[in-house]
């Protein structure tokens, strides 16, 4: 083993808290890689909700989930993640084991459609609220695209301010590669 | 599992690269916790060299290693780590699988005896030179004590400048706890 790359490390952390039959949210479905990972990880009895504002992304993700035989475990919403609390089942509140964010823009999609602090921060806040004790939120931050560095900065400032009694938050980042994505993980103790 | 704490994460990374019978260096022996971890991890055929400038630290570490039956795998040097290249076996050059640093001061020791950039940076540079391809250097940084923040800053700046073709470097840090120790890990690809 070498040093874990950003996404595999996020998956490792999520796997550590996600019980079989658990509930998870992909806050940025994109091409559906994390959605598929979550759908597999929750197992036959589990359930995943996913959000994206781009129909193109949801179609690609839907195809990926179908190809892998797990589409029935996933509900995709053509909605921004800042509205997740309106669309998640009410009984999920405080019971979601994992929420994953992959910020920035859709790879091979329209590079001008990016996540922005005005919606990202409310989405993070809702995700933390819906997280179960013992649950984890992960967010991969990108700084290469226009607006990315500002978004990463705003997210980091928001996470820095979280009450340390209610949340434990870490960052995992590459130091000698410019614009390498970095990972934020927030753990809600208890449970 | 929750989020790994700093030291367990360092141990996890080191374990991932340290072969049975391997060679390792504890650059800051202190109370010998990491020395013991390394002596156990290298196994019966392995060997560890350790450095510390405080005799008190070396005595505590020596006792710990003896109590755990692994003292014969370890050579302790009453020398600063910035002189490691004078004291390591010449055949170890480029063949050390893991070097661990735990900066700051000796817990339950004299808090005015601290590691300082003037010796820490040369020690890091020598450690990287002696590392084998596929090997890893870890450094835990503390910022609470006087001089700690400056040292952490200097170490981070040094690591930021490492040639990305020769080394991959990451930082793992807690975001919403003031003065939580952070971990630097540097991996030398190849091997």
């Amino acid at each position: 083993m070498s040093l874990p790359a950003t996404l595999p490390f996020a998956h490792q952390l999520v796997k550590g808290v996600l019980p079989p039959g658990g509930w998870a949210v992909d806050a940025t479905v994109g091409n559906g890689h994390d959605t598929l990972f979550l759908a597999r990880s929750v197992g036959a009895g589990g359930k995943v909700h996913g959000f994206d504002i781009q129909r193109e992304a949801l179609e690609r993700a839907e195809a990926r989930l179908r190809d892998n035989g797990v589409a029935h475990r996933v509900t995709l919403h053509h909605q921004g993640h800042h509205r997740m609390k309106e669309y998640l089942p009410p009984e999920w509140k405080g019971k979601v084991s994992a929420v994953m964010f992959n910020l920035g823009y859709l790879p091979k999609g329209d590079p001008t459609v990016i996540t922005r602090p005005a919606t990202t921060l409310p989405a993070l806040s809702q995700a933390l609220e819906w997280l179960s004790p013992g649950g984890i939120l992960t967010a991969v931050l990108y700084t290469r695209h226009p607006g990315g560095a500002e978004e990463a900065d705003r997210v980091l400032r928001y996470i820095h301010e979280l009450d340390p009694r209610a949340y434990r938050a870490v960052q995992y980042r590459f130091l000698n590669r410019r614009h390498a994505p970095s990972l934020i993980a927030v753990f809600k103790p208890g449970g």
Side-chain angles (χ1 to χ4, degrees), chain A:
Chain A
M1 192 191 71
S2 136
L3 298 169
T6 311
L7 283 168
F9 190 45
H11 288 181
Q12 180 191 323
L13 294 175
V14 166
K15 258 189 197 295
V17 302
L18 200 55
W23 294 338
V25 173
D26 188 345
T28 49
V29 168
N31 292 320
H33 293 287
D34 288 336
T35 327
L36 176 60
F37 162 76
L38 290 170
R40 283 178 168 153
S41 301
V42 296
K47 186 80 190 149
V48 178
H49 281 258
F51 295 86
D52 210 292
I53 52 167
Q54 296 188 75
R55 192 167 293 284
E56 180 192 359
L58 293 171
E59 282 164 8
R60 286 188 215 164
E62 176 75 32
R64 188 182 306 278
L65 296 166
R66 261 202 320 270
D67 290 349
N68 286 278
V70 293
H72 59 289
R73 297 181 192 161
V74 180
T75 305
L76 295 175
H77 301 275
H78 186 210
Q79 291 292 344
H81 46 208
H82 61 295
R83 300 187 62 188
M84 70 170 79
K85 68 179 175 187
E86 299 169 50
Y87 290 91
L88 290 175
E91 66 271 23
W92 279 35
K93 192 167 182 180
K95 303 219 172 118
V96 176
S97 291
V99 184
M100 299 187 77
F101 287 80
N102 203 338
L103 300 174
Y105 60 89
L106 177 66
K108 300 176 204 153
D110 179 349
T112 67
V113 180
I114 59 172
T115 55
R116 294 173 196 279
T119 43
T120 301
L121 297 180
L124 289 170
S125 159
Q126 290 171 37
L128 290 175
E129 203 182 329
W130 284 66
L131 217 55
S132 69
I136 217 165
L137 176 154
T138 64
V140 179
L141 310 179
Y142 299 82
T143 58
R144 193 187 296 273
H145 65 284
E150 191 218 331
E151 181 177 51
D153 186 58
R154 293 282 300 277
V155 168
L156 279 166
R157 275 191 283 152
Y158 171 77
I159 302 288
H160 264 294
E161 297 302 321
L162 290 176
D163 181 348
R165 291 163 303 187
Y167 300 103
R168 278 184 226 135
V170 297
Q171 184 184 26
Y172 179 73
R173 59 177 181 147
F174 281 81
L175 293 174
N176 63 337
R177 275 174 55 206
R178 247 172 81 85
H179 293 310
S182 83
L183 172 69
I184 305 292
V186 184
F187 177 74
K188 191 187 250 187

